[in-house]
Amino acid sequence: MGSPEKKSMQAAAGENVLEADKTAVASAPKKPPLEPAQDVHVRSLVIVSFWVIVIFLGLPIWWWTTSIHRARLPLQEMLEWADGKACKPSIPLQILIEAPYLNANEGQHLVRATQHALDDLNEFSAHHLRLRLGKHITAGNGSTASLAPVDSVHSGRELQNDDESEDVALTIEMSPKSGSTPSSAELRPHSTVLDVAYALNQVPSTSSSSSTLANIIATKLQEIFAEEQAIIAHILTSSQPAGNAQPSQGSSSPMSPSSSISVREQRNSPGRKLHKDLAAKLDRRMTRTLKYAPEYHITISLFASGANPSSWDIESAIYEHFSPLLESFSDISNFTVDTQVQLYASFAPSVQSPEYDSTRNVWTLKNEDLSGFINAAEWPLSPSIGAGPTLNFVFYVPNEDVSPLVVRDSLATSWLIPQWGGVSILNPPKPTSESFKHPSFLSKELIQPGLLTFSHQLLTLLGAPQLPASLPLQLQTLTRVQATSLLLSASSTMGSLARLTVALPSIAIPESVAEAVDRTLSQLRSTCTDLQDGKFKSALNHARIAEAEAEKGFFEKSMVGQVYFPDEHKVAVYLPLLGPIGVPLIMNAIKEVRRLLVVWKASKS
C-alpha cells in the first residue's frame, strides 16, 4: 500500500523542482551570443588600419605641412662681426711727398723724421698717416732715383709701390725758398695739395735725430686730419657691441657673456679718449646728419607770401652754382633735383608776426619761431620722393610790408633744420621809391647767395667735416667716415639677426635670408680689407652693398608673421579638430589591447 503513494509523492516533488529550475532560468539575464571569430578579426584590422594611416600617413603630412624651415646661418661668424672680433677697422691715409729738390738720402731722412713725429702726435692707432716719397727725386749725383715708400710704425702691411693701389689722401709739394725765413705749410683751398716752403738751411741732415721742418709738416698734417680722426674715434667709441645681449642662465649659446668682448677694447687705441666737450659737439653734429643713403632727392622750393615773384631762373642757377657740388659727390651718393613755386604761402600758425626793429630798419623773427617756421599743413613739401630720403631747401620771399626780414639777434637770413633741409629768406633789393613791389621774376644773381648757403647746409646734413676747408679733402673724409659707419652698421645688423635666431627657435628662416647673410659677410670682409689697404672708394662700395643686404635679410617679410605665436594658440587650433577623431581611436585601441590581454592569459592557462 505504501509504495504507490510514495511514488506519487516523489513524482510531485520532481515536478516542483523542474518548475523551479524553469522559473530560475527564465528570470536570469540573457547573454549576447558570442561574436564570430571572423568579425573580431575584421574589427582588429580596422582599428589597426586607422592607426597605421594616422602614424605613417597623417603624422608625416602634418609634420611636413606645419614644420618651420630654418636655413643654416653662420651664427658664430655673425656674432664675431658684431663684437668686433672679425675685423678691427684700420684707416691708413697715404701722404705722398714730392720733393724734387732733395737728394735720396735727404728725402728718406725727412720722411722718417716726419713719420716719427706723426706717430708721437697720434693717439688713435686705428687712424694713422703713412708717408712716402714720390717715385722720382733728385739723387746726389744729379740723376733720378726711385725710392720705396716708408711705412708707418703702426702699419703691419707693406705699402705697394703702385699709386693706383691706394687712394692718395694728400700730396705734399715741397719747394725751397731763398733766405732764412721759417718754413711754412699752406693747404690749397680747392685741391688735396699741401704746399711746404722751406729754407735750404732747414733741410735736416742725415745724422740729426730731430728736425724742425719735420715737426712743422707733422703738426700741419695732424691739424688737417684732426677732425676726421675725432669723428671716426667717436663712431667707433659710440658703437654699441652687438654681443651684449645675455641669454637665459645655463645657456651655452655662442652669445654668452663670456664670449663677448668690448668693442672699444678691440677697436680703439687704449690711450684714445675724446674730451667731453668734443664728444658732445660730435653728438650734436650726428643728430643733424642724415643717415647715409646711396640716393638722395633734393627739392628746391620758392614760397612767396604774395603774388610775386611767380617765376625764377632756377635752372641756370642750379647748373652754375649747385650742380658742380652734386657732381663731386658722385663717388659717394647720387642726387636728383626738382623745383617748385608756391604763391600766397603764409607762416605756420604757431609763428608770431615779425616785429620791426627801428634801429636797424629791418623786420625780425624770434629765434624760438624758427623751428616752427615751415607750414607743413599748407606748404606742398613731400617728406619722401623715390627710394632715398628727401632734402628740402626753401627760399621764402616775405611780403613787401615786412621786408627785409631777418632773424633777431644774429640778423641771419638762413638756418638749418636737422635731418630735413634748410631755409633761406630771400629779400629782393628794395628801391628808393615808396611804392615797392617784389619783381615777378628772380634772376640767377638773386638766387646765387641762397644756393651757396644751401651748398654749405647740404655738406652739414651729409656729415662732411668743417675742417679742413678744402672740399676735395672733405669729400675724402666723408668717404672714409661713411665706409666705417656702414661697416659697423651692417655688422651690428648681423649680430641682431643672430640673436633673434637664437632667441626665437620657432621663427622661420628662409633660404633668401641665408643668401643675404652670406653676401653681407662677403662684402664685410671686402670692406675691411679695402679699409686696411687704403682703398676707400672700393671700401665704400662694398660697405654700401653689405648694409643693403643686411637690411634685406633682417627685415625679410616672411619672418615677421611668426615672430610671436604662443602655444595657447596652437591648442586652440588643434583641439577642435583632433578631439572628435582622437577620442574614438584611443578608446577602441584600449579595448582591443584589453581583449588581446584576455586572450593571451586564456591561452597561457
Side-chain angles (χ1 to χ4, degrees):
M1 287 178 49
S3 58
E5 294 178 355
K6 185 177 180 180
K7 291 180 178 179
S8 60
M9 292 176 62
Q10 291 178 351
E15 292 177 356
N16 293 333
V17 172
L18 183 60
E19 291 292 335
D21 292 339
K22 292 181 178 180
T23 304
V25 171
S27 61
K30 294 182 179 181
K31 296 182 179 180
L34 295 176
E35 187 175 8
Q38 184 179 1
D39 294 344
V40 174
H41 182 66
V42 171
R43 186 178 70 248
S44 300
L45 290 178
V46 170
I47 295 175
V48 171
S49 63
F50 269 108
W51 279 103
V52 168
I53 293 174
V54 169
I55 294 174
F56 294 100
L57 184 62
L59 288 180
I61 293 177
W62 169 79
W63 183 266
W64 179 67
T65 56
T66 60
S67 62
I68 298 174
H69 177 69
R70 290 173 62 87
R72 295 180 62 88
L73 298 179
L75 299 179
Q76 186 62 37
E77 185 178 1
M78 295 165 66
L79 292 171
E80 289 177 355
W81 278 99
D83 293 341
K85 301 176 185 178
C87 174
K88 296 180 181 180
S90 177
I91 304 177
L93 272 63
Q94 180 183 217
I95 308 299
L96 187 65
I97 297 181
E98 296 288 350
Y101 298 98
L102 297 180
N103 59 44
N105 294 332
E106 291 175 342
Q108 281 281 29
H109 182 70
L110 176 63
V111 169
R112 293 186 184 278
T114 307
Q115 186 68 69
H116 285 295
L118 276 173
D119 295 337
D120 293 338
L121 293 174
N122 188 19
E123 298 178 355
F124 185 48
S125 61
H127 182 281
H128 54 277
L129 307 180
R130 298 191 299 183
L131 302 181
R132 58 170 295 181
L133 285 174
K135 286 187 175 182
H136 303 286
I137 65 172
T138 303
N141 56 5
S143 61
T144 59
S146 297
L147 296 179
V150 180
D151 287 349
S152 169
V153 174
H154 296 291
S155 175
R157 295 174 174 263
E158 294 183 358
L159 188 62
Q160 302 175 7
N161 292 336
D162 187 4
D163 291 346
E164 295 179 358
S165 64
E166 296 183 355
D167 297 336
V168 177
L170 183 68
T171 301
I172 300 177
E173 293 190 357
M174 303 190 62
S175 59
K177 62 179 180 179
S178 59
S180 59
T181 56
S183 301
S184 61
E186 294 293 335
L187 180 66
R188 296 182 187 178
H190 303 293
S191 66
T192 59
V193 177
L194 177 66
D195 292 319
V196 176
Y198 62 94
L200 293 177
N201 58 359
Q202 293 177 336
V203 177
S205 62
T206 56
S207 60
S208 63
S209 59
S210 61
S211 170
T212 303
L213 179 59
N215 291 334
I216 292 175
I217 297 175
T219 303
K220 186 63 177 180
L221 290 176
Q222 190 70 17
E223 176 187 340
I224 291 174
F225 296 101
E227 187 170 355
E228 175 184 342
Q229 188 181 91
I231 294 175
I232 293 178
H234 179 70
I235 293 175
L236 296 180
T237 304
S238 60
S239 62
Q240 297 297 327
N244 280 354
Q246 299 181 1
S248 60
Q249 294 183 357
S251 173
S252 60
S253 71
M255 296 181 303
S256 59
S258 61
S259 66
S260 299
I261 299 178
S262 174
V263 174
R264 297 181 184 182
E265 296 177 359
Q266 297 230 1
R267 292 173 174 162
N268 297 343
S269 173
R272 180 61 173 175
K273 186 176 181 181
L274 294 177
H275 192 271
K276 291 183 178 180
D277 294 339
L278 179 58
K281 179 181 178 181
L282 293 176
D283 283 333
R284 290 193 298 269
R285 176 180 296 180
M286 294 299 179
T287 58
R288 295 182 298 177
T289 304
L290 278 170
K291 182 181 178 181
Y292 173 80
E295 294 183 2
Y296 294 94
H297 182 79
I298 296 178
T299 299
I300 301 178
S301 306
L302 173 63
F303 291 99
S305 60
N308 290 318
S310 59
S311 61
W312 53 341
D313 191 10
I314 188 61
E315 293 184 2
S316 299
I318 291 177
Y319 179 78
E320 294 183 10
H321 307 294
F322 205 64
S323 294
L325 175 63
L326 300 182
E327 291 175 358
S328 64
F329 275 92
S330 59
D331 293 332
I332 303 175
S333 299
N334 295 322
F335 296 87
T336 58
V337 182
D338 70 348
T339 62
Q340 63 176 344
V341 177
Q342 177 74 20
L343 304 180
Y344 299 102
S346 58
F347 289 138
S350 59
V351 177
Q352 297 183 3
S353 299
E355 298 179 358
Y356 184 70
D357 187 349
S358 58
T359 59
R360 298 172 178 173
N361 196 26
V362 293
W363 293 84
T364 60
L365 284 172
K366 294 182 178 180
N367 292 325
E368 53 268 22
D369 291 335
L370 300 183
S371 59
F373 182 83
I374 300 298
N375 191 350
E378 299 182 7
W379 294 3
L381 295 171
S382 177
S384 180
I385 298 177
T390 297
L391 294 169
N392 292 280
F393 295 108
V394 175
F395 283 102
Y396 182 79
V397 181
N399 197 287
E400 294 89 343
D401 298 336
V402 292
S403 181
L405 182 64
V406 297
V407 179
R408 184 180 297 179
D409 299 332
S410 64
L411 300 181
T413 58
S414 61
W415 62 90
L416 180 74
I417 301 178
Q419 298 185 6
W420 188 85
V423 178
S424 177
I425 298 177
L426 199 158
N427 295 303
K430 196 171 184 178
T432 56
S433 60
E434 296 182 358
S435 58
F436 166 66
K437 290 186 178 180
H438 287 320
S440 60
F441 178 79
L442 294 178
S443 63
K444 62 182 179 181
E445 288 75 18
L446 292 177
I447 304 173
Q448 175 185 356
L451 287 180
L452 295 178
T453 300
F454 292 155
S455 299
H456 291 289
Q457 293 176 348
L458 178 62
L459 291 173
T460 302
L461 291 170
L462 296 181
Q466 297 179 353
L467 296 175
S470 173
L471 178 60
L473 286 179
Q474 291 179 352
L475 297 179
Q476 286 187 9
T477 297
L478 188 58
T479 299
R480 293 186 283 267
V481 168
Q482 297 294 8
T484 305
S485 179
L486 291 176
L487 172 67
L488 298 179
S489 177
S491 301
S492 177
T493 304
M494 287 291 97
S496 300
L497 181 57
R499 294 195 302 273
L500 180 67
T501 302
V502 175
L504 299 177
S506 62
I507 191 174
I509 302 178
E511 291 294 334
S512 59
V513 174
E515 294 174 357
V517 169
D518 292 338
R519 289 192 293 267
T520 300
L521 296 179
S522 175
Q523 296 296 330
L524 286 176
R525 288 189 287 268
S526 299
T527 302
C528 185
T529 302
D530 288 341
L531 281 177
Q532 294 173 351
D533 290 342
K535 302 175 183 178
F536 303 117
K537 293 180 181 179
S538 177
L540 178 59
N541 292 331
H542 289 298
R544 182 189 300 141
I545 300 174
E547 174 71 4
E549 292 293 338
E551 296 289 327
K552 178 181 177 182
F554 187 80
F555 294 103
E556 172 64 34
K557 59 181 180 180
S558 61
M559 298 171 57
V560 178
Q562 298 184 10
V563 170
Y564 181 74
F565 194 80
D567 294 335
E568 291 83 357
H569 290 186
K570 298 178 182 179
V571 173
V573 170
Y574 286 125
L575 192 59
L577 297 176
L578 301 182
I581 300 175
V583 171
L585 285 176
I586 294 174
M587 296 304 296
N588 281 281
I590 294 174
K591 290 180 181 180
E592 186 65 19
V593 171
R594 288 180 177 177
R595 187 189 68 80
L596 293 176
L597 290 175
V598 172
V599 173
W600 179 74
K601 290 180 180 180
S603 63
K604 290 293 185 180
S605 62

